[in-house]
Each structure stands twice: as C-alpha cells, then as structure tokens.
Amino acid sequence: MGGMMDGTRRQRRGDTRQRIQDEALELFAEHGYEKTSLREIAERLNVTKAAVYYHFRTKEEILVSIFEDFSHPIEELIAWGKRQRSSLETKQEILRRYGDMLASAAPFFRFMQDNGAAVKELRIGEMFRSRMHDLRDIIIDSEALLVDQVRCVSALFALHAGVFVLEELDGDPEVKHKAILKVATDLVVQAHGAQQVPSPSHSVAVPCSCERTVPVSG
C-alpha cells in the first residue's frame, strides 16, 4: 500500500497544486493541522507564500481539496451501490472497493484520525459524515434484525479500524489488507445468514439479514 501511495505521489509531482496538497498533508501529519501554517508549507516546497496563495487561500481550502480528490471514487461507489439490488454480493463488492480506497488514501485518513478535534470543526468533517451515512444506508436494510444492522455497519468500521490499528503490526501490507477485508466481509456474511426459526404450524415472516423479510410457509 505504501508503494501505491509513493507511485501516486511521483505522478503528482509535476503539478504545483498537487505538490502543495502532498506536502501540506505531510506537515499536517507531522505537526498537526492547527500548528501548520501556509508559510511552512511554502518553505517545505521551496516556493514563495504567494505561490501557495495563488492556488489556496487558506489551510482549510487545501484540506478540503485533498478530501474532494479522495472522495470522488467514494461518490462513484455510492452511486453504483444505489443502482444495485440489495444483496450479499453487492455489499461484498462495496466492502472490497471501499477497502481499496482506504488503503490507497491511508495517509489522509490517518491524518483525520490524529486530528479529530480540528477536523470536527471543519467542513470536511460534515462532508465525510455525509458520505459515511450514504454507505451505511446502502449496506444495511432497515427491516433487518437490529443485530444484523449492527453487523453490517460494523463491517465499515472494521475497514476504518484496519487502516490505523494494523499500521503498527508486523506483516506484509497486502496480507494485512486482505485480513481486514475478510473480517469486514465475514460480518456481512454472518448478518445475511442469520434468521429467526419459523413456527412449524404458522406462516411467518423471517427477517433475513440485510435483506427484506420473506414470507415462509410453515
């Protein structure tokens, strides 16, 4: 995953706006968002503050632009998910794609984790919550058992936790990424497999995990 991010950075080096984003994110991660200034970003790039100001008027503009670049694939995934039939296969594919996005954007999401108080007060905090709500609404079914709704939402949390928790563990990044995805997928599979046991003499509605209830004859 680190190699993926390094490759992306090399491709972005020729674009001043994107170089500003890259260096700003590094400084935000190193010193914290609130303690980083536009002057320090300019010095890291070896350009004038005016050169940075030409592209971004404030630190928040830089941060919002980084988030918007990373969130475009998430918005496309949300749009795709809304067009699909609610099924286990759809949810598994959403988890796989979203997991890949988190892995490629790990430095940004680690920054958000480490600067939670500052992010909460910025526009990207609400923007991020809105996208998470959209993913949540796709991956759960409001008619499912509550425990299964929790399992499905927890699958998303598992992907997020993996970005931060497994960073400190030894092991090949790709193997760790696959382990995170398996845990998340297992939660959704478990939710889809749970159901109430019908009475042998009555017709009942069985709440199938993350799917609509299905009439079953006793």
Side-chain angles (χ1 to χ4, degrees):
M1 286 183 283
M4 182 188 305
M5 196 66 188
D6 291 341
T8 300
R9 286 173 57 81
R10 284 194 295 272
Q11 293 173 10
R12 290 157 64 96
R13 286 300 180 188
D15 187 310
T16 301
R17 179 179 181 276
Q18 293 174 334
R19 287 180 60 222
I20 292 170
Q21 291 174 320
D22 289 338
E23 299 302 338
L25 185 56
E26 281 194 1
L27 282 168
F28 293 158
E30 290 173 11
H31 307 302
Y33 173 79
E34 295 176 334
K35 294 182 179 180
T36 302
S37 67
L38 288 178
R39 177 184 58 78
E40 291 172 312
I41 296 170
E43 289 177 353
R44 175 69 71 91
L45 288 164
N46 197 27
V47 300
T48 65
K49 184 177 176 181
V52 175
Y53 197 71
Y54 175 80
H55 294 279
F56 302 102
R57 300 276 178 160
T58 65
K59 292 188 301 180
E60 184 173 2
E61 282 189 13
I62 300 176
L63 198 54
V64 168
S65 73
I66 295 171
F67 176 75
E68 288 176 342
D69 287 351
F70 284 143
S71 68
H72 287 157
I74 299 176
E75 291 169 356
E76 292 174 358
L77 178 61
I78 291 169
W80 176 84
K82 288 180 177 179
R83 295 194 300 268
Q84 308 307 308
R85 182 179 68 87
S86 179
S87 67
L88 175 59
E89 290 73 19
T90 296
K91 294 175 176 59
Q92 289 175 313
E93 181 64 10
I94 288 174
L95 292 176
R96 185 189 67 77
R97 294 190 193 183
Y98 187 56
D100 287 345
M101 292 173 197
L102 287 175
S104 65
F108 175 72
F109 287 104
R110 281 197 294 272
F111 155 78
M112 291 187 65
Q113 173 76 8
D114 294 340
N115 294 266
V119 168
K120 186 177 181 181
E121 302 302 320
L122 302 175
R123 280 191 295 146
I124 65 167
E126 181 56 39
M127 294 164 69
F128 182 70
R129 284 190 292 273
S130 175
R131 284 156 182 75
M132 290 303 96
H133 289 164
D134 286 339
L135 279 176
R136 176 203 63 190
D137 291 344
I138 294 172
I139 209 166
I140 71 171
D141 189 326
S142 60
E143 296 180 11
L145 296 173
L146 178 58
V147 67
D148 292 327
Q149 294 184 47
V150 172
R151 286 187 176 111
C152 289
V153 174
S154 295
L156 291 175
F157 291 154
L159 293 178
H160 280 262
V163 173
F164 312 113
V165 176
L166 293 190
E167 180 71 14
E168 305 302 322
L169 299 182
D170 293 333
D172 179 82
E174 186 62 27
V175 173
K176 291 193 289 185
H177 177 56
K178 289 180 179 179
I180 295 167
L181 181 59
K182 184 178 188 318
V183 170
T185 301
D186 284 351
L187 284 166
V188 172
V189 170
Q190 184 180 8
H192 271 257
Q195 64 179 26
Q196 293 178 342
V197 179
S199 166
S201 58
H202 298 85
S203 176
V204 298
V206 180
C208 182
S209 327
C210 300
E211 298 277 7
R212 298 190 180 280
T213 56
V214 181
V216 178
S217 298

